[in-house]
Amino acid sequence: MAPRLILFFSLFSTTLLAQFASPISWTFEARHLERDRFELVAIAKADPGWSIYSQYTDDGGPVPTTFYWEEGDHYEKVGQTEEEGHRKEGVDDLFGVNVIKFLSDEPTVFTQTVRILDYARPITGEVEYMCCDDTQCLPPTTEPFNFSLTAPATKVETGDGAQEKTPSPAPEPEIVSEATTPATATPQTDQEANMPAEEIIASHRVSLPPPSEDEPVSWALLVEEMGGDRYRLSLTGTMAESWTVYSKDVDPTIGPIPTEWAITGTDGVEALGTVTETADHLKKKYDTTWEAEVAKIDGGTVTYSQVVRAPDSQPIEGYLTFQTCNDEMCLPPRDIPFSFDPATGETVIDGIREDGNTDAAVATTTSGSGDDYAINAEPIAACNVGEAATRGQSLWSIFGLGLLGGFFALIMPCIFPMIPLTVSFFTKSGGSRAEGIKRAALYGFFIFLIYVLLSVPFHLIAGIDPGILNNIASNIWLNMIFFVVFVVFAGSFFGFYELTLPQSWSNRASQAEGVGGTVGIFFMALTLALVSFSCTGPILGSLLVEAVSDGAWPLTAGMAGFGVALGLPFALFAAFPGVLNNMPKSGGWLNSVKVVLGFVELALAFKFLSNADLVGDWNLLRIEPFLIIWILCALGIAAYLLRLISFPHDSSKRKIGPVAGIVAAASVLFAVYLAFGFTKNEDSGSYESLNLLSGIAPPVCYSYLNPCDCPQGITCFKDLDAGLAYAKEVNKPVMLDFTGYTCVNCRKMEENVWSQDRINNLLTEDYVLISLYVDDRKELPAEQQREVTRLDGSGRNFLIDQVGEKWHYFQQSVFQHATQPYYVLVSPDGQTLNPPVAYTPDEEKYEAFLRCGLEAFQGLK
């Protein structure tokens, strides 16, 4: 409130000054860039001691400088209004808040790039600004402006066929207006006089994959044929969230590498005019990384354009060098080479090659019916963050699951009793206490390392074929094997028999402990991993199947979490041995933990049987019997803990302790929760979704009593041809839903996110949903089967003879993505609307993704 009062009294005390000359004088000028693009420039000169405020100054202080442009269809603004001058930012004594202002020792220049569509109509508007000195402020004032622009001169034919140019000098940009005097632009150079605003004869486009964790900036090359051996080359960069690119005008002595554009190639190829830079968020501000003011593009897109003359259809080559940073780090400068052959139309960017005279980013794949889908995988909008933003969240959730599994394993009878013995060995085996702590910490680290190394083979497998892990997770017979293995593990936990690895393995590892030193400690950790297999194996198996369908990195994240939970206590207890005295003693409760986990393993076993049933289309284990089995397992845990049933290793003196009572009560409540899964949802016509079982239980539509074809009552298609045809008929955008019957995160999205009213309404009313199941094992008709080249670079062919193989190859070949879920928004004719996303449990982000695509589609109309 105080800053506003200061402002009020300052304005009131200086009202009389308004009738005199303003301390800010304005001049307006226009500069021709190329073709139909101009820079409209407003220059503010302040009297000594006076300041004008930035467009981006914070609320609560002075009125920011604001440009109000007359609306009309005779011009288009390109990017935002840029500002440049002697900029100063900080807490202002007059207002008491942070402000951005420009000092009077040099002019303040505001620049707006425009594209002219109709030269007959001027561009008008007004700028509102406020100025202050150290003691007073004048009221906000407006200054009108008027730009009248003329088309650049063009080539004309003389009577003898020779070409002449309209004479055009190359003076410095002329200030042609004071305040409201119309501004007229003339071409800056003789070369620019040869660039009329003409129609594009043909265009060629090729793009790199969307932004990702490894490549946070994606580039697309557009080549436009302008006639007369002239071509306009434009490189557009799309940045992932929180990443920036530095302007071409950055001072390289400050630190960051400015973006640099260079045209190379054969002799005779000539760059015309200067490189233009247009961006959504180009700002010059203080950068904490470099401790200086730098011009950079904060997110969105940036486009660099250059007109090139290539006589006799000579090839054009060049490169763009850029550096990208976020708040935590900067990546090394990167070169993006590009080339264009006017003779063939071949367009290449960074080694990705597309030929043809049409849109070169179009990837073509053959449908099962023999038709071709023309899908342009390059998004036309960047109003949402793509798949890269959601991947890290998924890795952390898998890491958390591994951590939880490791803590469960820690209290198993195979491991828990070894904690005090192992810690005591390290702290009392000679040497100082610090040396003992060091050895215990090394022991814990090796436990972590061993479990992480178990995931390495899956990286090698995924490197050979990105889709192989998905095939493993959805294979019918492997899921049946997992079902049998988990039932066997459950029997072991119940105490009916004991499962161990071959004794020779652990004996050899134990003998190697005698080596001593670091090597001996490693083999001690390996011995623990081997002898505890009967306890850790079932938990690791659950983790393996949960993570492997999403790729090798989620599996590594899960193994890392498991290793941290298992290895960390040894280091901590060695550092704080007094804590061991407060740990519960080993006893019958450890067997109770095993039995409870036996019921959990038995329930999880039916998840794998359900996977095989879904993929094989057996119609055996639908949602009703699955829920009944889980209810029985939950009640079994309660009955065991309440001593209503017993197992072979239980003591006859087993008591019902407070922890057992709490777990038993929780199990009963969980059984009641599962029973609510039989409640009917009137909107979808099937059962209510149980969020806790999303991705574990079969889809609620897979029902004996209340079946439905698509989730959440949404109308969907499972064939691309039929879905696209319907989308064209109703003129709606399409959501390609790459999914799978065994995909855990797909079910979570359908049951937890799609069920929300605002998401459901968008998918029902505004989109056509096409669900493509990549693990559908139905055989394709013989006439639809075909051989394709593998995407692993081997050059080998393989036969696509299943429905799921067709859709999985389609996803990989067009969108360079192999895991599910994966959501792509496209127009009915195959134009990708915005960056695709993967698993996105955040409802607001997913809604933003859908609305972004809808806005992009409406812009195409």
Side-chain angles (χ1 to χ4, degrees):
M1 186 64 182
R4 290 296 185 188
L5 289 175
I6 294 172
L7 176 61
F8 172 76
F9 286 114
S10 176
L11 297 178
F12 179 77
S13 64
T14 58
T15 300
L16 293 178
L17 293 176
Q19 62 184 311
F20 300 105
S22 169
I24 306 294
S25 62
W26 289 88
T27 55
F28 300 88
E29 63 185 53
R31 301 170 183 169
H32 180 242
L33 296 176
E34 62 175 10
R35 250 178 18 105
D36 52 1
R37 298 204 178 196
F38 293 78
E39 281 185 344
L40 307 184
V41 183
I43 303 173
K45 296 181 180 179
D47 289 348
W50 288 84
S51 300
I52 189 172
Y53 294 92
S54 167
Q55 303 170 95
Y56 309 107
T57 197
D58 295 339
D59 294 335
V63 175
T65 301
T66 305
F67 284 82
Y68 297 98
W69 300 86
E70 171 208 11
E71 295 185 359
D73 57 2
H74 56 297
Y75 75 102
E76 293 177 350
K77 289 196 296 180
V78 180
Q80 296 181 334
T81 304
E82 302 173 14
E83 56 185 32
E84 185 176 0
H86 186 174
R87 186 175 182 273
K88 181 178 179 182
E89 181 175 359
V91 177
D92 192 283
D93 295 336
L94 193 61
F95 296 96
V97 297
N98 188 73
V99 301
I100 306 173
K101 61 184 179 181
F102 292 96
L103 305 183
S104 60
D105 55 348
E106 64 179 78
T108 304
V109 180
F110 300 89
T111 306
Q112 173 67 58
T113 301
V114 296
R115 177 171 174 249
I116 306 302
L117 305 176
D118 182 1
Y119 288 95
R121 297 167 57 186
I123 300 175
T124 61
E126 62 182 19
V127 54
E128 180 184 31
Y129 68 96
M130 179 176 173
C131 57
C132 303
D133 63 9
D134 293 336
T135 60
Q136 60 184 339
C137 294
L138 295 183
T141 307
T142 60
E143 191 75 39
F145 55 79
N146 183 317
F147 293 94
S148 293
L149 307 176
T150 57
T154 63
K155 292 181 181 180
V156 296
E157 292 289 336
T158 62
D160 58 2
Q163 291 186 338
E164 293 184 350
K165 303 174 186 176
T166 302
S168 176
E172 290 295 322
E174 179 184 0
I175 296 177
V176 295
S177 67
E178 291 281 345
T180 59
T181 304
T184 304
T186 57
Q188 287 182 304
T189 66
D190 189 56
Q191 288 175 335
E192 286 176 346
N194 292 322
M195 290 183 235
E198 59 190 350
E199 292 186 5
I200 301 301
I201 299 173
S203 63
H204 312 263
R205 185 190 299 269
V206 62
S207 62
L208 300 177
S212 63
E213 286 185 356
D214 298 329
E215 294 288 351
V217 183
S218 172
W219 293 93
L221 172 64
L222 172 66
V223 181
E224 297 171 298
E225 298 184 22
M226 303 169 64
D229 296 331
R230 287 175 297 113
Y231 306 87
R232 181 166 58 229
L233 282 72
S234 300
L235 270 173
T236 298
T238 301
M239 285 151 271
E241 186 178 22
S242 78
W243 287 89
T244 65
V245 168
Y246 292 94
S247 168
K248 65 182 181 66
D249 300 320
V250 165
D251 183 354
T253 61
I254 295 176
I257 304 299
T259 301
E260 179 184 354
W261 171 292
I263 296 294
T264 60
T266 56
D267 293 338
V269 174
E270 177 187 11
L272 306 179
T274 59
V275 178
T276 63
E277 177 182 68
T278 55
D280 295 336
H281 307 290
L282 176 59
K283 298 179 181 178
K284 186 174 184 180
K285 62 180 183 180
Y286 187 82
D287 191 304
T288 56
T289 303
W290 308 105
E291 298 183 348
E293 268 195 358
V294 296
K296 61 182 181 179
I297 297 93
D298 282 329
T301 62
V302 59
T303 300
Y304 297 92
S305 296
Q306 173 81 66
V307 177
V308 177
R309 187 192 308 271
D312 302 324
S313 297
Q314 297 182 69
I316 302 170
E317 297 179 358
Y319 63 86
L320 181 99
T321 303
F322 74 99
Q323 183 175 27
T324 182
C325 303
N326 62 12
D327 294 335
E328 299 176 354
M329 64 176 178
C330 289
L331 298 182
R334 172 133 152 66
D335 287 340
I336 303 294
F338 56 86
S339 64
F340 174 70
D341 188 341
T344 64
E346 184 179 75
T347 311
V348 182
I349 179 172
D350 201 22
I352 294 182
R353 183 184 311 273
E354 296 289 348
D355 300 329
N357 296 322
T358 56
D359 194 343
V362 173
T364 302
T365 186
T366 304
S367 71
S369 62
D371 299 329
D372 285 339
Y373 306 129
I375 302 294
N376 185 344
E378 181 195 354
I380 60 172
C383 42
N384 72 285
V385 177
E387 184 265 339
T390 59
R391 183 183 176 191
Q393 299 170 7
S394 179
L395 289 179
W396 278 112
S397 64
I398 296 293
F399 178 85
L401 284 175
L403 199 68
L404 186 63
F407 285 135
F408 270 116
L410 203 63
I411 58 175
M412 299 289 281
C414 310
I415 298 177
F416 189 81
M418 299 178 65
I419 296 176
L421 295 174
T422 306
V423 171
S424 177
F425 169 79
F426 284 123
T427 55
K428 297 180 181 180
S429 59
S432 63
R433 179 170 178 268
E435 186 66 23
I437 294 174
K438 178 182 176 181
R439 290 197 294 268
L442 193 59
Y443 178 72
F445 169 75
F446 281 140
I447 292 174
F448 162 79
L449 181 63
I450 287 168
Y451 286 106
V452 170
L453 290 176
L454 289 175
S455 68
V456 170
F458 292 90
H459 285 273
L460 300 178
I461 293 172
I464 297 172
D465 182 357
I468 195 169
L469 296 180
N470 179 79
N471 294 332
I472 290 174
S474 60
N475 183 275
I476 294 175
W477 300 112
L478 278 178
N479 274 281
M480 287 300 298
I481 291 172
F482 276 124
F483 168 70
V484 173
V485 167
F486 270 57
V487 171
V488 172
F489 275 138
S492 173
F493 277 5
F494 288 146
F496 297 134
Y497 41 80
E498 191 72 20
L499 292 177
T500 59
L501 291 174
Q503 187 67 31
S504 60
W505 293 12
S506 55
N507 288 341
R508 291 175 183 174
S510 182
Q511 292 170 5
E513 296 175 15
V515 175
T518 302
V519 176
I521 294 174
F522 172 81
F523 280 102
M524 284 184 66
L526 181 60
T527 302
L528 173 71
L530 294 174
V531 301
S532 63
F533 172 77
S534 62
C535 295
T536 61
I539 299 174
L540 284 174
S542 305
L543 180 64
L544 170 69
V545 179
E546 169 71 21
V548 73
S549 61
D550 288 331
W553 280 112
L555 179 60
T556 299
M559 289 296 191
F562 189 89
V564 167
L566 214 57
L568 188 61
F570 292 95
L572 292 179
F573 288 141
F576 306 101
V579 179
L580 287 172
N581 298 327
N582 299 322
M583 287 179 59
K585 304 302 181 184
S586 300
W589 68 272
L590 289 175
N591 187 67
S592 298
V593 171
K594 281 189 68 174
V595 171
V596 169
L597 286 181
F599 279 108
V600 174
E601 290 290 319
L602 185 60
L604 288 176
F606 285 92
K607 166 185 165 50
F608 303 114
L609 182 59
S610 172
N611 287 347
D613 178 57
L614 284 165
V615 176
D617 198 24
W618 297 340
N619 295 314
L620 296 177
L621 191 60
R622 297 200 175 196
I623 186 69
E624 292 92 350
F626 185 92
L627 289 179
I628 291 173
I629 292 169
W630 272 60
I631 290 172
L632 292 175
C633 288
L635 294 176
I637 292 175
Y640 170 74
L641 294 176
L642 296 176
R643 297 192 61 191
L644 299 178
I645 57 175
S646 297
F647 288 90
H649 291 171
D650 288 327
S651 170
S652 59
K653 300 179 180 180
R654 186 164 59 96
K655 298 179 180 179
I656 305 173
V659 175
I662 292 173
V663 175
S667 299
V668 173
L669 290 175
F670 185 61
V672 173
Y673 170 78
L674 293 173
F676 276 105
F678 291 105
T679 306
K680 188 173 182 179
N681 184 318
E682 298 300 332
D683 293 332
S684 64
S686 189
Y687 296 115
E688 290 285 356
S689 300
L690 298 176
N691 291 351
L692 293 181
L693 260 66
S694 295
I696 298 175
V700 292
C701 286
Y702 191 56
S703 163
Y704 287 115
L705 303 178
N706 299 295
C708 56
D709 193 43
C710 301
Q712 303 302 327
I714 303 169
T715 301
C716 71
F717 294 84
K718 296 182 180 178
D719 179 78
L720 191 54
D721 288 310
L724 290 175
Y726 178 76
K728 290 179 180 179
E729 180 182 337
V730 298
N731 194 28
K732 288 184 179 180
V734 170
M735 185 170 87
L736 299 180
D737 166 32
F738 291 97
T739 184
Y741 293 114
T742 62
C743 174
V744 174
N745 286 336
C746 302
R747 300 294 87 74
K748 290 180 180 179
M749 288 295 296
E750 293 166 4
E751 298 176 7
N752 300 340
V753 178
W754 291 11
S755 60
Q756 302 304 309
D757 288 342
R758 61 183 189 273
I759 304 296
N760 192 277
N761 289 339
L762 282 169
L763 293 177
T764 303
E765 303 295 333
D766 299 310
Y767 282 95
V768 174
L769 175 62
I770 303 179
S771 295
L772 306 177
Y773 286 81
V774 302
D775 55 4
D776 189 338
R777 299 305 179 212
K778 296 187 186 72
E779 188 172 336
L780 287 168
E783 66 274 10
Q784 295 183 15
Q785 298 178 11
R786 62 194 178 95
E787 275 200 358
V788 297
T789 303
R790 290 187 179 274
L791 301 174
D792 56 7
S794 65
R796 295 175 297 166
N797 292 341
F798 77 102
L799 178 67
I800 292 182
D801 58 358
Q802 295 180 346
V803 173
E805 288 179 343
K806 177 178 72 171
W807 299 136
H808 201 204
Y809 186 82
F810 174 51
Q811 181 189 4
Q812 293 182 74
S813 60
V814 177
F815 301 106
Q816 291 80 51
H817 198 91
T819 59
Q820 296 77 43
Y822 196 63
Y823 305 108
V824 186
L825 305 181
V826 300
S827 65
D829 59 359
Q831 170 63 57
T832 302
L833 300 173
N834 55 325
V837 300
Y839 176 59
T840 311
D842 188 308
E843 298 162 16
E844 292 185 359
K845 290 183 179 179
Y846 196 71
E847 181 183 11
F849 159 70
L850 293 174
R851 294 195 180 280
C852 170
L854 197 59
E855 292 172 4
F857 176 71
Q858 292 169 348
L860 291 175
K861 294 181 179 179

